[in-house]
Amino acid sequence: MIKALLFDYGGTLDTNGRHWAEVIWDAYSREDIQVSKEQFREAYVYAERTLAQKPLICPEHNFLDVLQIKCRLQTDYMLQKGYLNHQSEAHRLADVVALACYEMARKNTAAIREMLARFKKQYKLALVSNFYGNLTTVLRDFGLYGYFDKIVESAVVSHRKPDPQIFRLAVDDLELDNDECVVIGDSYTKDILPAQSIGCATIWLKGKGWEDRPMLDDNAVDNCIAVITHFNELEFYLR
């Protein structure tokens, strides 16, 4: 019997399965940025690596703060590489893109609140996320904090997906067995495979990824309760 739902956060609850790199790239594209997608990819990877190495994001930062920091790192990189030429325009671009992406995330998270409220009546709910140490602030800002019984955040517990231990911690915190939990996430390699490796059931929210298509294990895909392409499909399969 399923007793708990363990959700990924970034790329699942806030973008409906779209990788954040794709979301940010689309926002730059709408501003007619004069760089290639490959050049943006370099900047995106640089920003993510910088954030992994330096404590630029503080616990009190909301998601708009996170996006502004990320986009400034990206545009600064593109300036250094000569992909962009004017600092003032680059910084304006970073702020416009950050705000557009923030509003998109706010809209998406508002749309799932009623569904989470219905799930909470039937299941324990948890978040298992690779994040920066400010996930509680982000959830409060988006009105999602009260729906979750447990929040397991990589920056807090010192385990990162795809390490299965981060899922074990969540299951243990809920005082359940692995096979009583369903993990829902957008990443095949970071959510589905490690969750299945410890005996959790899985639902894969298969959206538009950023990396090259992973080599899929047919057994792992077949063992999913479902492979969905929109968050709204979740209720149907959980019935």
Side-chain angles (χ1 to χ4, degrees):
M1 180 181 292
I2 297 170
K3 295 183 179 179
L5 307 180
L6 279 57
F7 293 94
D8 170 54
Y9 180 72
T12 299
L13 296 186
D14 56 1
T15 71
N16 196 29
R18 295 185 67 213
H19 193 286
W20 264 104
E22 290 291 339
V23 174
I24 295 172
W25 169 247
D26 284 351
Y28 278 121
S29 297
R30 287 193 296 272
E31 295 300 316
D32 198 29
I33 189 171
Q34 298 300 301
V35 300
S36 69
K37 191 172 184 179
E38 187 57 38
Q39 290 168 336
F40 164 72
R41 184 188 182 103
E42 291 176 27
Y44 181 87
V45 170
Y46 165 79
E48 293 303 308
R49 288 176 177 170
T50 300
L51 291 175
Q53 296 166 0
K54 299 179 180 179
L56 300 179
I57 295 175
C58 302
E60 64 271 18
H61 283 154
N62 69 14
F63 197 54
L64 179 57
D65 298 325
V66 172
L67 287 167
Q68 288 172 335
I69 292 167
K70 284 191 175 192
C71 291
R72 282 292 183 102
L73 287 170
Q74 293 161 11
T75 54
D76 284 348
Y77 177 90
M78 289 186 273
L79 281 166
Q80 293 167 11
K81 289 291 185 177
Y83 303 154
L84 296 174
N85 297 317
H86 303 289
Q87 186 178 60
S88 59
E89 174 60 17
H91 288 176
R92 183 202 68 82
L93 186 63
D95 291 343
V96 168
V97 167
L99 182 59
C101 291
Y102 174 75
E103 292 300 333
M104 182 278 300
R106 177 175 289 282
K107 180 179 178 181
N108 283 349
T109 52
I112 66 171
R113 284 191 204 120
E114 289 186 7
M115 192 182 305
L116 290 175
R118 291 193 293 272
F119 288 152
K120 189 169 177 60
K121 293 177 182 179
Q122 187 173 356
Y123 308 103
K124 292 183 177 181
L125 304 185
L127 276 183
V128 183
S129 179
N130 287 349
F131 220 75
Y132 306 102
N134 65 321
L135 186 53
T136 295
T137 301
V138 171
L139 295 174
R140 290 186 188 281
D141 182 38
F142 286 154
L144 296 180
Y145 179 75
Y147 294 105
F148 297 100
D149 300 285
K150 296 293 179 181
I151 298 169
V152 182
E153 184 180 3
S154 61
V156 176
V157 301
S158 300
H159 292 282
R160 289 182 60 84
K161 304 175 190 177
D163 182 355
Q165 182 62 20
I166 195 170
F167 292 102
R168 289 192 184 97
L169 291 172
V171 174
D172 290 345
D173 283 348
L174 293 171
E175 299 182 342
L176 295 173
D177 294 328
N178 294 344
D179 60 4
E180 294 176 312
C181 301
V182 177
V183 171
I184 300 110
D186 70 301
S187 174
Y188 173 80
T189 55
K190 293 181 180 179
D191 296 314
I192 302 308
L193 291 181
Q196 288 186 359
S197 75
I198 64 168
C200 293
T202 54
I203 295 178
W204 182 18
L205 176 56
K206 185 181 178 184
K208 188 174 183 181
W210 175 250
E211 298 179 355
D212 293 336
R213 184 180 177 85
M215 293 296 293
L216 301 183
D217 181 331
D218 290 339
N219 288 330
V221 175
D222 291 342
N223 286 336
C224 288
I225 292 175
V227 178
I228 61 177
T229 57
H230 195 286
F231 200 83
N232 287 344
E233 299 172 57
L234 191 55
E235 281 187 294
F236 173 82
Y237 288 102
L238 287 173
R239 291 194 189 105

